[in-house]
Amino acid sequence: MAVTPSDDPRRERWEDATDWILTLAALLFLVAYAWPIIDPGLAEPWRSVLRWVTWLAWIWFAVDYAARVWLSADRTRFVRTHLPDLAVIVLPLLRPLRLLRLVTLLNVLNRHAGRSLRGRVAVYVVGATTLLMFIAALAVLDAERGRPGANIEAFGDALWWSFATVTTVGYGDRFPVTGQGRAIAAGLMLTGIALLGVITATFHRGWWSGCSRPARSPRRSPARTWWR
């Protein structure tokens, strides 16, 4: 019998209890991951300290994944349906994707966006796009800097490349030359296309819902009409 999320109360309690802890770990990972990349001349002992922070954050992510597997009613199904989580932990190439945990912070901002569909979409799109652009810029700079023929050698260049790529413009003045950099570029291009699709579908659904509502008959009073 298929297991639905409601059939895993223990796992749900664990996820609720550790949600903000994981977000904090992602924030620390962001600082520890970004600082040496943006400042390649960072001296010791800071470089070693930041390396330890990234390892501790990775250990916590691994512990969280193992706990969720253990607390799941159907462990095989959980692993099968959460392969990206496993890949992020196992594959070093995907370690920047751990920062996507910071999308949790968008829930807080979304509370202040009101009930407006456009407000919620704006919060998520702006927040997620900014986060993805920053992560991609860090990852491609880490992959490209110092490589033969590389033209992305500074964070400003990487951020410009990230902006041009996620918007699917692609000026071509900056481009990755390594296999890892091109893999990051492919993922960012797909993300840009997906974000555009999400925006279009969301606004279309909101517009269609508004159009499909039955029109209300104007109320009239003996003394005045609706246009007065």
Side-chain angles (χ1 to χ4, degrees):
M1 182 177 65
V3 178
T4 61
S6 60
D7 294 325
D8 287 336
R10 294 192 306 162
R11 195 189 78 205
E12 287 182 351
R13 286 196 297 270
W14 168 267
E15 291 174 346
D16 291 340
T18 60
D19 193 35
W20 280 103
I21 299 176
L22 285 171
T23 302
L24 178 60
L27 279 171
L28 293 175
F29 185 89
L30 174 62
V31 174
Y33 175 71
W35 194 350
I37 296 175
I38 297 175
D39 182 14
L42 183 66
E44 295 289 350
W46 292 110
R47 188 171 290 273
S48 296
V49 170
L50 295 176
R51 191 180 302 115
W52 274 105
V53 171
T54 59
W55 274 107
L56 290 174
W58 177 85
I59 290 172
W60 177 247
F61 285 123
V63 168
D64 172 72
Y65 179 82
R68 287 189 293 151
V69 172
W70 179 259
L71 295 173
S72 296
D74 189 339
R75 296 168 186 169
T76 302
R77 182 177 181 274
F78 177 86
V79 173
R80 189 174 61 252
T81 56
H82 292 76
L83 291 177
D85 292 349
L86 179 61
V88 164
I89 294 173
V90 174
L91 301 178
L93 174 65
L94 300 179
R95 65 176 183 164
L97 295 184
R98 297 170 200 158
L99 298 176
L100 293 180
R101 185 71 193 183
L102 295 176
V103 172
T104 303
L105 294 176
L106 299 180
N107 291 330
V108 178
L109 297 177
N110 196 39
R111 295 172 188 170
H112 303 283
R115 297 184 179 180
S116 168
L117 174 66
R118 293 183 180 180
R120 294 197 301 270
V121 171
V123 167
Y124 276 102
V125 169
V126 173
T129 302
T130 302
L131 180 61
L132 285 169
M133 285 172 51
F134 185 70
I135 294 172
L138 291 172
V140 79
L141 181 59
D142 190 27
E144 295 290 307
R145 177 185 281 151
R147 303 301 191 274
N151 54 80
I152 302 177
E153 297 282 353
F155 182 67
D157 293 336
L159 202 57
W160 166 252
W161 166 86
S162 180
F163 180 81
T165 302
V166 79
T167 55
T168 67
V169 174
Y171 278 101
D173 56 339
R174 294 288 183 268
F175 53 88
V177 297
T178 65
Q180 182 176 346
R182 289 172 178 171
I184 295 167
L188 190 59
M189 284 184 276
L190 292 175
T191 299
I193 296 172
L195 283 173
L196 181 61
V198 168
I199 296 171
T200 304
T202 303
F203 276 102
H204 174 74
R205 183 173 58 184
W207 174 83
W208 183 258
S209 298
C211 292
S212 61
R213 292 175 183 172
R216 294 184 179 179
S217 301
R219 295 182 179 179
R220 302 189 180 213
S221 64
R224 56 188 298 179
T225 55
W226 65 273
W227 60 80
R228 293 180 183 175

